[in-house]
Amino acid sequence: MKDRIIEILTNLGGTRIEDEGKAREALATESRDMTRSLTPYSMRKAMEKTADAMPWRLLLEEQGDDDPIEVFLKLRKRLTKQLVGTTSSSSSCTISNEQDRLKWDGIRRFLQDTDCIVSALEAAERAANEPAPEPTPEPESKSEPAKPVPARRPTPAQRKGLELIAQGGVKRTQFGLRNRERIGSENGTIYADTFEVLLRERWVTLDSSKSLFQGQPIELTEAGRAHLPA
């Protein structure tokens, strides 16, 4: 925000000072032409552009190492105070009176051109000082809490399979020309559908890193052991 405002001030000031330079150069060119007389238009335009550039020149001169925004606000305050207390020039010289009038017109234009910048600064300051909005509490759910799902208990056949696995040595193996599988040990056999339930319920683990021909070891998990007598 601050960098953007400084950029705007720099661009506005550069434009006003550039316009002044062009008007002065046009007047100088006209003055060097000895075959032509000076026109009031060229003189007045140079005076007007000089008056418009004057506040911006003051802004550049007063910056130094100070904060550009603070210098800008102080300059606006000072020029506003001067403008409020000003009176019309009563010099006997018409050119001096016109120059004085253009000076105050230039200050008015400077204040008008930068009103929007002051408004933006004030809005940013208000936003920075506003407390952060409190989080909106989530509405309480009117739905009934979900009822806990009762833990599944093994059937007698599944419990028998768990007991067999607890004895150790149970493997899933493949044998014969038709690639038939067997799940069991020298102490007994577990039907395939029973074993699938034990595996799905995570009551047992299967070491599939071994080949079926070598035999894939099957072991109880803590969840499976919990269904057996201590």
Side-chain angles (χ1 to χ4, degrees):
M1 175 68 175
K2 181 178 178 180
D3 292 341
R4 176 57 179 158
I5 288 179
I6 293 175
E7 180 183 357
I8 293 173
L9 290 173
T10 302
N11 291 339
L12 284 173
T15 300
R16 297 295 180 269
I17 293 173
E18 183 180 356
D19 290 344
E20 177 195 14
K22 291 178 181 178
R24 284 177 176 269
E25 181 62 29
L27 179 61
T29 300
E30 188 175 301
S31 300
R32 287 192 295 269
D33 188 352
M34 305 301 293
T35 63
R36 298 172 55 189
S37 60
L38 294 177
T39 61
Y41 171 79
S42 299
M43 294 181 63
R44 190 182 187 284
K45 186 173 183 180
M47 292 168 61
E48 180 183 352
K49 296 302 180 183
T50 298
D52 285 346
M54 184 269 294
W56 298 99
R57 288 190 179 279
L58 289 176
L59 180 61
L60 294 176
E61 292 171 1
E62 295 180 9
Q63 278 186 21
D65 297 329
D66 297 332
D67 180 29
I69 302 297
E70 292 297 326
V71 173
F72 161 69
L73 294 175
K74 289 179 181 178
L75 177 62
R76 267 187 58 96
K77 186 176 181 180
R78 188 172 79 245
L79 293 179
T80 301
K81 186 176 181 180
Q82 292 177 4
L83 188 62
V84 171
T86 187
T87 57
S88 300
S89 176
S90 57
S91 172
S92 58
C93 177
T94 305
I95 295 179
S96 296
N97 291 338
E98 181 66 5
Q99 187 178 32
D100 189 66
R101 187 185 68 80
L102 291 174
K103 168 189 171 182
W104 297 116
D105 285 348
I107 291 176
R108 290 188 185 92
R109 279 190 287 270
F110 171 79
L111 296 175
Q112 291 171 358
D113 290 344
T114 57
D115 275 343
C116 59
I117 297 177
V118 175
S119 298
L121 288 170
E122 292 174 348
E125 184 177 1
R126 286 195 300 270
N129 293 331
E130 287 180 357
E134 297 183 0
T136 305
E138 296 183 1
E140 296 182 0
S141 175
K142 296 183 179 180
S143 59
E144 296 182 359
K147 296 181 180 180
V149 179
R152 179 184 174 89
R153 293 183 177 276
T155 64
Q158 294 163 1
R159 184 185 298 274
K160 187 175 180 180
L162 292 174
E163 292 173 350
L164 180 63
I165 295 171
Q167 296 175 22
V170 176
K171 296 181 179 180
R172 184 170 73 170
T173 56
Q174 193 175 72
F175 63 95
L177 297 176
R178 296 185 179 181
N179 295 329
R180 296 180 61 184
E181 288 187 4
R182 178 179 181 272
I183 302 168
S185 66
E186 60 183 14
N187 297 320
T189 302
I190 302 174
Y191 289 111
D193 55 349
T194 300
F195 171 72
E196 292 299 328
V197 174
L198 302 183
L199 191 63
R200 185 173 63 247
E201 295 295 329
R202 299 183 180 180
W203 292 336
V204 300
T205 60
L206 174 68
D207 185 0
S208 57
S209 64
K210 304 287 193 302
S211 69
L212 285 170
F213 294 101
Q214 183 182 1
Q216 297 176 340
I218 300 171
E219 295 182 357
L220 282 179
T221 64
E222 291 299 323
R225 198 178 304 278
H227 292 294
L228 298 178

